[in-house]
Amino acid sequence: MRWTQTFIPTLKETPADAEIVSHQLLLRAGLVRKLTGGLYTFLPMGLRALTKVAAIVREEMDRAGAIEVSMPLLQPTDIWHASGRYEAMRDNLYKVKDRAQKEWALCPTAEEVITTLAANEFSSYKQFPKNFYQVGTKFRDEIRPRFGLMRAKEFLMKDAYSFDTTDAGAMASYQKMYDAYTRIFARCGLRAFAVEADTGIIGGNHSHEFMIPAETGENDVVYCEACNYAANIEKATSGLPKTAPRDPGPAPEKFATPGVVTIEALAKDPYKVPANRQIKTLVFIADSKPVLVLVRGDDQLNEAKFMAKTGAIEARPADAKNPADLVHFTALGAMPGSLGAVRNVPAGWKVLADERLRGANGMTTGANEDGFHLRDVSMDRDIRVTEWHDLRTVTVGEPCAKCAKPLKIRRAIEVGHVFKLGTKYSVPLNATFLDEAGQRAPLVMGCYGIGVTRTLQAVIEQGNDKDGIIWPVSVAPYHVCITPLAVAAESPAMKLAEQLYAELTAAGLEVLIDDRDERPGVKFKDSELVGFPIRIGLGEKSLAKGEVEIKPRSGALRSVKTEDAAADVIAWVKAEKAKLA
RNA sequence: CGGGACGUGGCUCAGCCCGGUAGAGCGCUUGGUUUGGGACCAAGAUGUCGCAGGUUCAAAUCCUGUCGUCCCGACCA
């Protein structure tokens, strides 16, 4: 390909509406252009790189025994009602109406569709295991699209769905995908790692996310360098001890705390109740019902854990400024800051408490009377806890639950997620089989996603310098950029460029000739901005010596005899590919 | 959905506070000089100042609304 015959609109200046480096480079290197927020047109270089990522994904899916299919992007909403996810997806699901006012969903994921297929097509245990995948567009009505391709309304995703007859079989399918994912990200040149994860709206009971470390990521990952424990902060636990017991007082004692509505204020003079001897009482509205949540004063409630443990579809903190919520505070008898679970808790309310409070005594909490707190509160004696759960958020430095070494926390980009689903979809959508005894049973499923567009941007986020993108050869739009400094057809540089192009292309390399009539500086800058892994420079000075200049994007420039150039570059690309095999 | 910032040639931005003839750099066109790291000189083209109202003799500038973009948050009592 010639530069003048394709379309690579590079930008000298950084676009104002791109915040993170990978987003800036997507635009500057002419890979994509924004149509509107969260929607992007892929230009030739971007599309080529995206196609490379997708090809790696397909090769590894095929190698792992998955079968490629293609499902409709337009889905009938009745299967979403059947699975119970129509409500659970809430506004994330794009809905469209046809001429008859029938409602359809734009595919955000395809568990319902593939499970419907399985329900119709399978009947015997002899047909399993099966794993179907597709690489296709997904639509999600994101609350806030951001960072270019990282969180878009429309994106390319690989989704796979496994069907097994037993739990052990499903675990084996899960492990195959886990291993395939590890290979996929390695082949894309990414330093990815797997972490234990919350299953969220997809469901199931076991899952891992594949993360790329990056300060610009939207996830916090808790990890232990000593024993390799790693988990999303939404799921992570630590080996922190329970609250130390004290001599229990005879009974809770009320004391006046006028104007004290924060943990911090109660910890100061004249009260001096340390945060770790306080009980923080939160009111949440979970699926329209009020719930009291208790965590220690120095702990933070982890809302993802709260959602997971309660199974709530929607939950939010109650807001005293919201008239509809105010009744709940009125029922308790106090406003935020003076809340507690010792007295006045309405009979029907659930009271969830964090495990760290189990058995705690000598605690201080709100009296459910504005301006008063209670001291000498015992969890067991004084509070009716309906459910105990791990509800707190792990913080940096806490001891690892496995090996007691201090935990660390880092930001990361989630590029893949594997789930063991169990029968969450097969039961409601009636995907069953007959076992060897002729008994009907639901299929055991797993599902596995990779954000292909997000992975592409993660490659850029991880591979760049001040001059532009540094592609791994496996994902680069072209392997080689040939840069003749004279472009007239009869010039020696151009003739040599064409000769090298023919030789490299014949060897299977993907080559771009920068045939633009531009000054050398412009061409060098652009080739580095777009990030081709290796460049061959053809200028008068070196040609006069019978040499060409070879410049790997992230290596030193070297001069090579003209007749050796093709072999040199072919060997270099082959070696780079081998590193990513 | 809440908070914040911003919408001025293709791009990056100034001008706005203090109302009075719309600017710069880059890019683009033409000519010339250049030609190994984003050239130089000259001449040019390109703007409903996001949109709609309002105030005013007069609005890019002040006011209101609206649309769009970006950032933070969706949470702790």
Side-chain angles (χ1 to χ4, degrees):
Chain A
M1 179 57 71
R2 287 167 178 258
W3 198 299
T4 58
Q5 288 171 4
T6 180
F7 184 59
I8 314 176
T10 57
L11 265 23
K12 200 181 276 190
E13 294 182 270
T14 302
D17 57 2
E19 184 77 6
I20 68 174
V21 65
S22 55
H23 186 195
Q24 292 169 354
L25 287 171
L26 280 168
L27 295 164
R28 285 232 290 141
L31 304 182
V32 302
R33 282 294 181 266
K34 183 173 72 175
L35 202 217
T36 182
L39 296 172
Y40 290 83
T41 297
F42 274 80
L43 302 180
M45 295 306 112
L47 182 59
R48 286 185 70 94
L50 183 67
T51 304
K52 295 282 186 77
V53 176
I56 291 169
V57 169
R58 285 195 167 91
E59 284 176 26
E60 293 300 334
M61 284 296 108
D62 293 343
R63 192 206 289 208
I67 314 155
E68 187 169 10
V69 295
S70 177
M71 290 177 260
L73 297 175
L74 208 53
Q75 304 179 351
T77 46
D78 53 356
I79 56 178
W80 285 86
H81 282 111
S83 71
R85 285 211 298 177
Y86 185 87
E87 289 299 323
M89 286 293 286
R90 303 178 58 73
D91 294 331
N92 284 317
L93 189 65
Y94 272 110
K95 294 150 195 157
V96 295
K97 284 192 175 162
D98 66 15
R99 66 181 82 195
Q101 297 304 301
K102 177 180 160 56
E103 189 180 67
W104 302 80
L106 288 179
C107 172
T109 175
E111 284 80 8
E112 283 79 3
V113 176
I114 199 73
T115 309
T116 300
L117 180 83
N120 291 333
E121 299 300 325
F122 294 124
S123 46
S124 162
Y125 71 95
K126 294 172 188 167
Q127 295 169 297
F128 299 98
K130 279 281 181 290
N131 187 343
F132 296 101
Y133 81 95
Q134 63 176 350
V135 180
T137 302
K138 299 292 177 291
F139 300 89
R140 291 185 191 173
D141 193 353
E142 292 288 346
I143 294 174
R144 179 150 86 92
R146 62 178 136 181
F147 301 150
L149 269 24
M150 285 295 186
R151 185 171 293 281
K153 293 176 177 174
E154 184 186 318
F155 57 97
L156 194 65
M157 183 169 106
K158 186 284 302 177
D159 42 327
Y161 308 88
S162 67
F163 296 90
D164 282 274
T165 56
T166 64
D167 209 58
M171 273 315 295
S173 295
Y174 182 93
Q175 190 60 44
K176 272 189 187 173
M177 286 295 104
Y178 184 105
D179 295 341
Y181 277 33
T182 303
R183 287 195 299 271
I184 286 166
F185 298 120
R187 286 184 62 186
C188 290
L190 287 167
R191 297 182 300 276
F193 60 102
V195 307
E196 294 175 17
D198 179 47
T199 53
I201 199 170
I202 300 281
N205 49 21
H206 184 75
S207 88
H208 286 88
E209 288 164 337
F210 285 78
M211 294 287 188
I212 309 298
E215 282 311 304
T216 52
E218 297 186 82
N219 301 273
D220 282 311
V221 170
V222 177
Y223 66 103
C224 173
E225 286 178 332
C227 73
N228 287 333
Y229 170 76
N232 192 309
I233 198 154
E234 295 178 344
K235 172 92 175 177
T237 58
S238 73
L240 223 45
K242 301 241 188 303
T243 305
R246 288 183 167 181
D247 289 336
E253 178 194 347
K254 190 165 92 174
F255 63 108
T257 51
V260 172
V261 294
T262 62
I263 301 287
E264 296 71 35
L266 197 56
K268 286 181 186 158
D269 280 334
Y271 312 105
K272 291 205 169 171
V273 181
N276 64 10
R277 302 310 301 188
Q278 299 187 40
I279 302 168
K280 185 166 11 183
T281 306
L282 311 169
V283 182
F284 266 72
I285 311 296
D287 293 341
S288 309
K289 284 189 193 151
V291 178
L292 277 185
V293 187
L294 275 35
V295 296
R296 216 169 76 172
D298 56 339
D299 280 342
Q300 299 291 316
L301 172 68
N302 187 317
E303 252 185 82
K305 288 182 180 177
F306 174 79
M307 297 288 283
K309 300 291 164 48
T310 58
I313 289 171
E314 186 204 7
R316 59 180 176 80
D319 178 5
K321 288 188 285 262
N322 177 346
D325 292 354
L326 190 57
V327 295
H328 302 311
F329 295 107
T330 308
L332 288 167
M335 296 301 282
S338 302
L339 298 176
V342 178
R343 312 188 306 180
N344 291 353
V345 180
W349 287 30
K350 278 189 181 176
V351 179
L352 272 55
D354 179 61
E355 285 288 355
R356 204 177 179 200
L357 287 170
R358 202 188 274 270
N361 54 19
M363 303 298 284
T364 297
T365 187
N368 276 344
E369 186 176 340
D370 288 331
F372 291 92
H373 280 75
L374 296 172
R375 63 166 72 101
D376 279 337
V377 170
S378 287
M379 289 298 297
D380 295 342
R381 183 189 64 200
D382 302 322
I383 295 180
R384 174 185 59 84
V385 174
T386 48
E387 294 176 27
W388 290 94
H389 294 295
D390 167 33
L391 293 170
R392 64 182 292 279
T393 302
V394 170
T395 58
V396 70
E398 290 177 14
C400 173
K402 288 186 180 171
C403 73
K405 294 286 188 327
L407 292 169
K408 297 191 170 186
I409 298 181
R410 79 191 316 177
R411 301 286 285 174
I413 300 163
E414 179 194 346
V415 286
H417 202 158
V418 293
F419 300 81
K420 185 163 164 287
L421 292 171
T423 59
K424 173 179 163 115
Y425 296 92
S426 52
V427 167
L429 292 166
N430 209 27
T432 60
F433 68 100
L434 289 180
D435 66 18
E436 293 170 87
Q439 296 295 308
R440 187 165 297 279
L443 286 161
V444 187
M445 293 176 58
C447 73
Y448 318 93
I450 288 179
V452 180
T453 36
R454 184 183 284 180
T455 299
L456 175 69
Q457 190 169 340
V459 170
I460 299 170
E461 187 68 23
Q462 207 171 71
N464 66 79
D465 64 12
K466 64 177 171 47
D467 295 315
I469 300 171
I470 303 174
W471 291 111
V473 285
S474 55
V475 181
Y478 289 93
H479 301 129
V480 186
C481 181
I482 301 177
T483 307
L485 299 186
V487 295
E490 69 283 0
S491 71
M494 198 63 191
K495 283 187 171 166
L496 180 55
E498 286 175 356
Q499 181 195 323
L500 287 170
Y501 181 90
E503 290 177 51
L504 297 176
T505 304
L509 301 198
E510 294 163 338
V511 188
L512 184 71
I513 299 180
D514 187 354
D515 61 335
R516 293 176 300 168
D517 186 13
E518 288 287 353
R519 297 169 59 85
V522 173
K523 299 172 82 155
F524 292 146
K525 285 286 185 191
D526 269 350
S527 77
E528 282 150 17
L529 177 57
V530 181
F532 303 106
I534 192 165
R535 180 180 70 214
I536 308 176
L538 308 174
E540 278 183 23
K541 287 181 188 169
S542 45
L543 290 185
K545 291 187 281 184
E547 293 177 340
V548 302
E549 286 173 358
I550 292 178
K551 172 73 174 71
R553 176 63 178 80
S554 53
L557 186 142
R558 61 178 192 269
S559 292
V560 173
K561 287 289 172 199
T562 303
E563 57 270 28
D564 298 332
D568 184 293
V569 170
I570 290 165
W572 186 88
V573 171
K574 189 178 172 188
E576 287 294 308
K577 277 188 177 173
K579 287 183 202 168
L580 297 167

